[in-house]
Amino acid sequence: MEAVLARPVYRRRSLASRLVRGLLTGVAVLCAALLLLLPLLVVFAEGLAHGWAVFVAAITDPDARTAVKLTLLVAAIAVPANMLFGLAAAWLMTHFEFRGKSLLGALIDLPFAVSPVVAGLVYVLTYGVHGWFGGWLDAHGLRVIFAVPGVVLATVFVAFPFVARELIPLMQSRGSEEEVAARTLGAGGWQIFFRVTLPRIRWALLYGVLLCSARSMGEFGAVSVVSGHLPGLTNTLPLQVDQVYNGGSGDAVASAFALASLLALLTLVTLVIKRLVEWRHGGELARAAARH
Amino acid sequence: MRNRALPGFGLSLGVTLAWLGGIVLLPLAALAWKSASLGPATWWAQVSTRRVLHALSLSFGGALAAAVIDMLLGLLLAWVLVRHRFPLRRLCDALVDLPFALPTAVAGIALTALYAPEGWIGRWLQPLGVQVAYTRLGVLLAMVFVGLPFVVRTLQPVLESLEREPEEAALTLGAGPWQRFRRVLLPMLAPTLLTGFALALARAVGEYGSVIYISGNLPMRTEIVPLLIVQKLDSGGDTGPAAVLGAVMLAASLLVLLAVNALQRWNRRWTEAG
């Protein structure tokens, strides 16, 4: 009797809850489309707004090509450097106990919390004309600020924690037993690293390197402070976008968006690879490891 | 006490400390030293101008408001992505990473193109009397954009691993959906929500590239602190004024970082106790 009475009540509630679910989903999808998808689409649309000729002229401009080359050069230095650091930091943080370990962990994350402009500023204060080493560098005819080395340093700073942050939680959750076992079987340090550790962390390493390179090639604020904005010399691609955008000529905005669409394309490639790694090797990533 | 069974302590410690010291600590020390050498009078003179006060209130006020909006919107998105099944769910999930991956300058000019009076969205808002580009609303929008993924990505794994028992218990005790959400879920999610809020706040306060195009940079109206730092550096000569503002921003970041650490510790204790 009770069950018969309860049924229609249950059904009515489930209809209402389905309506609420549909509404919530609709609002969420609408927000995602308006706030996230449109900014990506508008880049390509505006880039092509003045036709193919303007688009092609913008991306084949000599200053634009130098900017692409510099962006790749900077990433080619910053990414391997931060990868080596990330591996060393992860090895240190997960296989050993020592005093000040938690402080060290917090310091590794620090660059993520610092404003990009402040990241650029600290390098100006260190290596700029009035900075700590400015006088010494000047006397030796060296330039860091308003030159390529400054751009590289600022990029290394902002992309600093990506690899370490991906590796540390994963290696922590896996423990050191296998490495210790390899050690007792007589393996050397490098042998343990290449034969035991690396195969287990390779997807997480790729994931961290991917995020690190996306950030290295896309960084704007920090690089903007230290580069000096010299077209054809110290402009990376994001800086070139900025300069062309503010250029003021009739095709300036369309040309800036044409250059920006190269960066947007890079973003899409990054997101697709990231998804693929998460999908195929999700179990070997830190995010998944943290859940168990 | 360290694990002597494994080699490489000295090498990894050396590499880590050298890299951390050279890339992060030395330059930050230069900022601390420069701003500390400037005496209270210079500090006060720099910070108390109306233009700087305006920028400070916009940067911090705007970032707080943006982080609150991110928390609400992020909770909705994370909830829908984890608990609901619908077409294009994977695409929506992938889109959440966009503000992380899209270079900030590109995001900045894209948002400006969308919300300018003649833009895709701006032209619909114009007749309603709402102007987003070149107003403080535009600054807020850009800050919401960059902070959103922090909340969604912090919440998602927690929502996925959340046990259903408390909710089911509440359901059998006759709690409605709103009551289950308000009394059961929200308390369980509170530490994670606050962590996401703090991360979004830290990002929004320091954001530069996404904001400076849509804001229009009108003095006393839509200037943010990072922009003032860049302007003070570009005007050449003394780096003192920029260092003062940089120190204020750095101190704010450190405070937020400390808050995040404390929240995570609280969260861990919470989940272990529960």
Side-chain angles (χ1 to χ4, degrees):
Chain A
M1 188 62 190
E2 267 183 63
V4 175
L5 277 178
R7 237 191 185 158
V9 175
Y10 174 73
R11 198 174 282 164
R12 215 178 303 144
R13 188 183 278 164
S14 98
L15 179 69
S17 90
R18 263 159 64 191
L19 268 174
V20 171
R21 281 176 82 95
L23 193 69
L24 286 180
T25 310
V27 172
V29 171
L30 192 70
C31 283
L34 282 181
L35 195 61
L36 302 172
L37 185 61
L38 278 188
L40 185 66
L41 295 182
V42 83
V43 173
F44 296 107
E46 291 282 326
L48 293 166
H50 291 201
W52 264 108
V54 173
F55 186 91
V56 173
I59 60 173
T60 51
D61 176 80
D63 285 348
R65 275 195 283 186
T66 327
V68 171
K69 274 185 219 153
L70 180 62
T71 304
L72 293 175
L73 173 75
V74 169
I77 301 170
V79 174
N82 278 336
M83 187 180 92
L84 288 180
F85 162 76
L87 284 168
W91 186 269
L92 179 72
M93 296 291 289
T94 57
H95 291 324
F96 304 104
E97 292 300 325
F98 52 93
R99 270 200 307 188
K101 189 170 153 173
S102 55
L103 176 68
L104 192 64
L107 286 176
I108 291 173
D109 275 347
L110 190 60
F112 273 166
V114 175
S115 166
V117 168
V118 174
L121 169 70
V122 296
Y123 280 100
V124 172
L125 294 175
T126 314
Y127 299 106
V129 188
H130 304 286
W132 273 359
F133 305 127
W136 185 88
L137 288 167
D138 207 35
H140 290 75
L142 299 169
R143 271 201 107 140
V144 173
I145 300 305
F146 305 148
V148 175
V151 175
V152 173
L153 282 173
T155 306
V156 170
F157 182 98
V158 295
F160 190 77
F162 280 105
V163 176
R165 203 183 232 202
E166 216 45 60
L167 294 182
I168 291 172
L170 177 73
M171 288 169 66
Q172 223 145 30
S173 71
R174 301 262 157 123
S176 323
E177 287 84 5
E178 290 183 38
E179 279 86 358
V180 174
R183 182 64 169 171
T184 52
L185 293 170
W190 292 111
Q191 226 178 347
I192 297 176
F193 175 74
F194 282 109
R195 297 283 190 82
V196 180
T197 308
L198 199 56
R200 295 195 306 164
I201 62 167
R202 59 189 168 179
W203 293 108
L205 182 64
L206 175 70
Y207 195 85
V209 165
L210 187 72
L211 299 182
C212 182
S213 15
R215 181 67 196 261
S216 300
M217 293 193 239
E219 178 52 30
F220 175 66
V223 173
S224 164
V225 171
V226 296
S227 93
H229 303 275
L230 309 170
L233 286 173
T234 62
N235 264 3
T236 60
L237 196 46
L239 295 176
Q240 188 70 19
V241 169
D242 174 68
Q243 206 151 43
V244 173
Y245 185 82
N246 291 322
S249 78
D251 287 331
V253 171
S255 304
F257 274 104
L259 290 176
S261 61
L262 295 181
L263 288 165
L265 215 56
L266 182 76
T267 305
L268 280 179
V269 172
T270 308
L271 289 185
V272 168
I273 301 178
K274 182 171 174 289
R275 282 284 127 170
L276 279 177
V277 174
E278 280 169 4
W279 181 44
R280 300 283 295 271
H281 306 280
E284 294 164 66
L285 294 180
R287 271 155 245 275
R291 272 178 231 161
H292 297 304
Chain B
M1 186 200 88
R2 62 186 181 86
N3 186 347
R4 289 178 188 280
L6 284 173
F9 178 75
L11 178 66
S12 59
L13 183 71
V15 171
T16 306
L17 287 185
W19 206 234
L20 192 67
I23 295 294
V24 179
L25 297 182
L26 176 80
L28 288 181
L31 173 61
W33 180 79
K34 176 78 190 177
S35 54
S37 71
L38 289 171
T42 325
W43 263 76
W44 184 243
Q46 283 308 323
V47 175
S48 65
T49 67
R50 283 187 61 203
R51 197 167 167 188
V52 169
L53 286 175
H54 241 277
L56 282 169
S57 81
L58 179 62
S59 274
F60 288 98
L64 268 173
V68 169
I69 296 173
D70 279 332
M71 197 166 64
L72 300 174
L73 208 57
L75 177 62
L76 173 70
L77 265 171
W79 174 263
V80 166
L81 287 171
V82 171
R83 291 283 175 97
H84 296 188
R85 289 294 169 270
F86 56 95
L88 301 180
R89 191 182 66 93
R90 277 167 173 274
L91 179 71
C92 278
D93 193 24
L95 277 177
V96 171
D97 280 332
L98 198 75
F100 272 156
L102 197 65
T104 56
V106 178
I109 62 174
L111 289 174
T112 312
L114 285 177
Y115 290 92
E118 68 282 5
W120 288 4
I121 299 178
R123 82 170 65 131
W124 299 99
L125 296 175
Q126 189 80 346
L128 305 173
V130 180
Q131 199 184 338
V132 179
Y134 320 126
T135 66
R136 272 172 280 192
L137 198 57
V139 176
L140 182 69
L141 179 85
M143 287 176 167
V144 168
F145 177 80
V146 296
L148 186 62
F150 288 93
V151 180
V152 181
R153 292 297 183 236
T154 318
L155 274 172
Q156 257 176 332
V158 178
L159 266 176
E160 270 166 26
S161 66
L162 214 56
E163 285 168 12
R164 294 288 186 109
E165 280 90 353
E167 276 177 85
E168 280 161 10
L171 181 68
T172 56
L173 291 170
W178 174 246
Q179 256 184 316
R180 292 203 300 276
F181 175 75
R182 170 76 187 69
R183 296 290 182 82
V184 182
L185 269 172
L186 216 50
M188 289 199 285
L189 291 177
T192 318
L193 260 178
L194 283 175
T195 307
F197 169 83
L199 291 171
L201 178 69
R203 176 67 199 263
V205 167
E207 184 54 33
Y208 176 68
S210 311
V211 176
I212 55 163
Y213 302 98
I214 198 167
S215 71
N217 305 328
L218 310 166
M220 316 288 288
R221 292 189 53 82
T222 60
E223 278 181 337
I224 51 167
V225 179
L227 178 84
L228 287 188
I229 296 178
V230 172
Q231 282 177 352
K232 283 178 194 294
L233 277 176
D234 281 349
S235 63
D238 188 20
T239 47
V244 168
L245 290 183
V248 172
M249 297 297 286
L250 184 64
S253 330
L254 290 179
L255 272 178
V256 176
L257 198 68
L258 280 177
V260 170
N261 271 330
L263 277 170
Q264 273 162 350
R265 235 171 299 138
W266 178 39
N267 198 0
R268 224 169 290 143
R269 212 178 312 149
W270 180 279
T271 41
E272 274 160 18

